[in-house]
Amino acid sequence: MENGGAKKWGFSGNNEINSTSGITIRGVLNTLMESLNPEDERPVIPLGHGDPSVFPCFRTTQIAEDAIVDSLRSAKFNCYSPTVGILPARRAVAEYLSRDLPYKLSPDDIFLTIGCTQAIEIALMALARPGANILFPKPGFPNYEASAGFRKFEYRHFDLLPEKGWEVDLDAVEALADENTVGMVIINPGNPCGNVYTYEHLKKVAETAKKLGILVIADEVYGHLTFGSNPFVPMGVFGSIVPVLTLGSISKRWIVPGWRIGWLVTSDPNGILKETKVVDTIKSCLNISGDPATFIQGAIPQILEKTKEDFFSKIVSILRQSAEILYDQIKEIDCIICPQKPEGSMFAMVKFSSTLMEDINDDMDFCIKLAKEESLIILPGTAVGLRNWLRITFAIEPSSLQDGLGRLKAFCQRHAKQQ
């Protein structure tokens, strides 16, 4: 039959996946990159995603690099991995996380994943069932919505409150939950907001979840990346109040997002997750999914045990400096407001007033025109659940950040309504 004939094929692309790809951060960033002006000879400044690894000041520690080389050359890790992860790596993660907890984790509490992204997928896969629902923060990380959507898992949004340092609206959580609610997600330190929750607020989250009979999924991929008044408190501290699934990785603290090694942890000293078969379901999900590369797993004990504190201090110091640059320079842009100085992670949420701009319709229009005119990439708030907000990462060289904020100011002045 000739091409273009009338034959009807029995297959087609999955339209549900196609329809959700546009709300992922990668999907939106791809759209912005396509909007760049190829004739602009200035370097593109990436303030849209949290990957500072391309900047020399954020290079990972040599201890981590040597650990990878030693693991690979040992020839001990060329085999398939157990689906839960190799034991020495799980033991090392348990010891690393137990430093901040009032109880000791066991290797049996640790499940290694292909970065935190797979940890999200496994957690949601384990909890999804017909008729169930789960509560997500708004703004938040859109991979949660995408992963739940693929699994026909109903999700509902509770607000984070910018006027209260992006705390969880716990009244909204109680109003949203019903007998079919299985859990709620919190991200701390916050992506996209740059907030760090206090011990007191996290305890209230735990007590609210216990009252509702739901578990907490605690996304702590930015754990310990804090530089404000609030120290990082892992949600697992409250595991005796409510069962917690803790998600994390080495991607952000060690600045190696491409190494794709993370974990899903049952922070549950009372054993509720075993009693309710959640642990069994996690294992079943891992049996049908991929595993992190074994030579990366083999390096984990050396990475977690031998990295010196001065490496972490240097990274936090650069982030603190960059957060201050961002917060101070945003004040000089009339149409943009940053409600809170970032205290953790690598991001800030800022609100822009489209009513003060001449020819900008919304946040997506803003970011597309900004990319085209200034070779500056900033993520529209729509991608993380808040229209007419922007998520800006400050995890780049401070000089590049200042250049980018200068371009942002020039763009806003050029498009400002004439008084």
Side-chain angles (χ1 to χ4, degrees):
M1 185 184 71
E2 294 182 3
N3 289 340
K7 178 174 175 56
K8 179 175 175 60
W9 296 100
F11 56 85
S12 65
N14 188 323
N15 287 330
E16 291 192 20
I17 292 179
N18 292 336
S19 66
T20 57
S21 64
I23 63 166
T24 63
I25 289 175
R26 285 185 176 184
V28 173
L29 289 176
N30 287 339
T31 298
L32 298 179
M33 293 299 291
E34 292 167 1
S35 303
L36 292 168
N37 179 2
E39 296 181 2
D40 189 340
E41 297 181 354
R42 294 175 297 177
V44 176
I45 297 181
L47 303 186
H49 68 295
D51 184 0
S53 63
V54 298
F55 297 96
C57 70
F58 282 102
R59 181 165 178 171
T60 194
T61 171
Q62 186 174 336
I63 286 172
E65 295 173 350
D66 290 345
I68 295 291
V69 173
D70 292 346
S71 174
L72 188 61
R73 287 183 170 164
S74 74
K76 295 178 180 177
F77 304 104
N78 295 335
C79 54
Y80 284 120
S81 167
T83 56
V84 294
I86 64 174
L87 181 57
R90 291 161 58 216
R91 183 181 294 118
V93 172
E95 292 172 356
Y96 168 70
L97 296 178
S98 293
R99 298 173 194 170
D100 301 313
L101 298 174
Y103 54 91
K104 291 293 183 184
L105 293 167
S106 156
D108 290 339
D109 299 317
I110 312 297
F111 305 93
L112 299 185
T113 57
I114 306 171
C116 199
T117 299
Q118 191 192 26
I120 292 170
E121 293 169 354
I122 296 297
L124 297 187
M125 190 187 307
L127 294 173
R129 65 170 190 263
N133 67 76
I134 189 166
L135 311 181
F136 294 155
K138 187 179 75 171
F141 184 54
N143 280 43
Y144 284 96
E145 285 83 354
S147 185
F150 295 161
R151 292 167 177 82
K152 310 291 187 185
F153 195 178
E154 180 192 348
Y155 53 87
R156 303 170 181 179
H157 288 111
F158 57 86
D159 288 332
L160 303 183
L161 305 172
E163 69 277 9
K164 293 186 176 181
W166 299 105
E167 286 187 349
V168 174
D169 184 345
L170 292 173
D171 290 337
V173 170
E174 291 201 40
L176 286 168
D178 60 25
E179 68 275 8
N180 294 315
T181 305
V182 297
M184 63 179 290
V185 171
I186 63 165
I187 304 173
N188 180 50
N191 174 14
C193 302
N195 57 293
V196 180
Y197 291 137
T198 64
Y199 178 98
E200 292 75 18
H201 184 61
L202 291 172
K203 187 177 182 182
K204 289 178 182 176
V205 169
E207 290 169 344
T208 300
K210 179 182 180 180
K211 176 181 177 181
L212 298 171
I214 63 177
L215 60 75
V216 177
I217 297 176
D219 185 328
E220 297 176 355
V221 72
Y222 292 95
H224 294 284
L225 292 179
T226 62
F227 34 84
S229 57
N230 296 328
F232 168 62
V233 178
M235 191 70 203
V237 165
F238 307 101
S240 58
I241 297 176
V242 67
V244 178
L245 294 180
T246 299
L247 316 183
S249 78
I250 66 169
S251 297
K252 307 300 184 180
R253 197 180 188 200
W254 275 265
I255 321 292
V256 287
W259 289 10
R260 310 314 298 143
I261 182 78
W263 47 78
L264 186 160
V265 178
T266 53
S267 302
D268 178 35
N270 296 327
I272 297 169
L273 296 174
K274 288 183 179 177
E275 179 185 330
T276 55
K277 305 296 184 183
V278 171
V279 171
D280 289 342
T281 308
I282 289 170
K283 292 177 181 178
S284 296
C285 293
L286 289 167
N287 286 341
I288 57 172
S289 65
D291 314 311
T294 44
F295 74 92
I296 304 285
Q297 294 187 52
I300 283 293
Q302 193 171 326
I303 292 171
L304 296 184
E305 294 162 12
K306 295 187 177 180
T307 300
K308 301 289 194 299
E309 189 59 38
D310 60 351
F311 167 73
F312 298 132
S313 299
K314 175 194 168 190
I315 296 301
V316 167
S317 178
I318 297 170
L319 290 173
R320 180 186 294 110
Q321 177 189 356
S322 296
E324 290 173 355
I325 291 171
L326 173 66
Y327 188 67
D328 290 342
Q329 294 199 15
I330 286 293
K331 292 177 183 176
E332 300 176 5
I333 303 175
D334 291 339
C335 64
I336 295 179
I337 297 172
C338 184
Q340 181 191 351
K341 185 177 181 179
E343 295 189 338
S345 80
M346 301 176 175
F347 308 102
M349 283 295 283
V350 303
K351 185 172 179 57
F352 86 94
S353 299
S354 58
T355 56
L356 298 177
M357 309 197 80
E358 190 66 52
D359 54 354
I360 302 293
N361 298 323
D362 56 23
D363 54 321
M364 191 68 187
D365 188 36
F366 182 102
C367 292
I368 288 173
K369 289 175 178 172
L370 180 65
K372 184 175 182 179
E373 297 178 23
E374 296 289 348
S375 294
L376 175 63
I377 304 295
I378 287 177
L379 191 74
T382 298
V384 294
L386 276 190
R387 187 170 183 267
N388 288 340
W389 287 69
L390 310 169
R391 190 193 76 169
I392 304 177
T393 180
F394 47 84
I396 70 170
E397 295 270 9
S399 59
S400 295
L401 177 61
Q402 289 180 321
D403 183 4
L405 293 170
R407 296 187 200 183
L408 177 62
K409 183 177 181 180
F411 175 84
C412 289
Q413 289 175 337
R414 191 163 60 248
H415 289 272
K417 281 185 178 177
Q418 299 303 312
Q419 301 298 319

